Amino acid sequence: MASANDTAVPTGVAATSLDPAYQRDPDPVHDALREREPVHHDEVLRRWLLTRHDDVDALLRDRSLSADPRKGTPGTFMTAFASPGGREPSILFMDPPEHTRLRGLISKAFTPRAIEGMKPRIEAIVAMLLDAVAGGEGFDVIAAFAGALPTIVIAEMLGVDPADRQDFKRWSDDGVMAFDPLLSEELRERVAASSAELDAYFRGAIAHRRAAPRPDLISAMMAAEEDGVRMTDEELVTMCGLLLAAGNVTTTDLIGNGTLALLRNPEELRKLRADPALIRNAVEEMLRYDPPVTETGRIPLEGREVRGCPIGAGESVIPVLAAANHDPEVYPEPHRFDITREDTHHQSFGGGVHFCLGAPLARLEAQIALNALVRRFPGLRLAEGELEYRRIPGFRGLARLDVLI
Ligand code: HEM
């Protein structure tokens, strides 16, 4: 008799958020891969998927690997992320020593202190957004709350006019779409047009500050120097774009996925309401349980073996962060959402030299937003209806999340 194990493991589009079943619940796909082919060659999308915690962890820390799509073998998965027109990539897709130089400079401006200093503003913005929906019977958590918050916060940090935030939101949503390697020609053009608008906007913002610096992140990035060397204007523009694109949709999805997990697990919601100090651990568990970024990518510059599988130089290796986070070898009952879980360490911010620069900001925003949301609306519950997820491979988040209050 055929057992489930005789069937082929999910591969190609079936292992991405373009597939409706994967969108609804990626865990069965990740479990099948992890159990049956933890190092899987996806011949359709031309990439290797790594799904065991220890393999993912080791790969992320391995400094001999490249993150630069231009170093990939033509036609392999990662090469789709090379910037069009031979433009210099952002630090996300850069290797040392260039990566080290730019990451050092941005770290001088985007400091833990600058982030901690945003706390009162984040609290005020959260309160304002919740005030705006409090009069009704319910609202869409994504549109009214989780989508708006990170855009306003990063706009204020950069020092640009919050009135432009609709543009910001559009640019960052379109920016994330660039991560879909199967994007239609039409959408690809929209992404390129948005990115040109964003570049022009920040070129203007930089020029203004060249004449008169302000107490904001753009001016701080312009002033940051290492051995007398500063970022060029083009590097600054790319960095502003990355801060927008990398930080907005992801933080929105952390708050969205986290709200959904709480509402589907009333006992956990009750625990959090009873003890707001649990929020730190709760947000880590949300990041582990349903991460906004499900995978990242690396390219070996020399051939290697992983668990006996030969991976050639230039091929794409994808550590599936969401699968590592649910490895039963590491996490007891991995598919259970438990905000008091003792070990909530996770791979959701990536690792090694590319470990997410915005992790402290994302954590702070989510902690403040979720505690405020559940305290403000004691009757918060899910509205009826099917959930709808966005369809960008590598990312996981809701298109909308309707709740009643
Ligand atoms: C929950 C929210 C977030 C998640 C899940 C997330 C996740 C990630 C992941 C997986 C990486 C790649 C790491 C790797 O390849 O090893 C990354 C890199 C990065 N993230 Fe985040 N991120 C979030 C929020 C933010 C925010 C708020 C910002 C800034 C405003 C930000 C800025 C960056 C930057 C600049 C990088 C590139 C770092 C480098 O290449 O050195 N992220 N993030």
Side-chain angles (χ1 to χ4, degrees), residues 8 12 58 61 91 187 300 312 353 370 394:
R61 287 166 198 267
I91 53 167
L187 286 177
V353 298
L370 286 155

Side-chain angles (χ1 to χ4, degrees), residues 26-103:
D27 291 341
V29 172
H30 295 156
D31 289 347
L33 284 165
R34 194 189 316 97
E35 282 161 24
R36 285 146 58 189
E37 275 188 47
V39 182
H40 167 68
H41 191 212
D42 170 351
E43 289 173 18
V44 182
L45 295 179
R46 297 195 58 190
R47 57 190 201 153
W48 292 85
L49 297 174
L50 265 54
T51 42
R52 281 203 184 158
H53 175 277
D54 293 356
D55 293 345
V56 166
D57 194 52
L59 192 97
L60 288 171
R61 287 166 198 267
D62 186 336
R63 294 187 176 212
S64 72
L65 298 165
S66 171
D68 185 343
R70 295 170 299 182
K71 297 183 183 162
T73 303
T76 51
F77 185 77
M78 287 277 287
T79 59
F81 304 128
S83 310
R87 234 181 88 163
E88 279 295 303
S90 73
I91 53 167
L92 189 55
F93 294 127
M94 233 179 224
D95 291 335
E98 282 298 275
H99 174 270
T100 322
R101 176 179 65 84
L102 283 170
R103 173 114 186 185

Side-chain angles (χ1 to χ4, degrees), residues 207-254:
H208 283 123
R209 283 158 184 78
R210 190 76 68 213
R214 300 180 193 172
D216 61 26
L217 184 56
I218 298 184
S219 299
M221 289 197 288
M222 290 168 70
E225 61 173 271
E226 182 82 52
D227 301 329
V229 182
R230 296 183 181 182
M231 278 189 239
T232 65
D233 281 8
E234 281 315 292
E235 287 168 348
L236 281 165
V237 167
T238 305
M239 194 66 87
C240 290
L242 177 63
L243 291 180
L244 264 195
N248 277 354
V249 178
T250 47
T251 308
T252 298
D253 292 342
L254 172 56

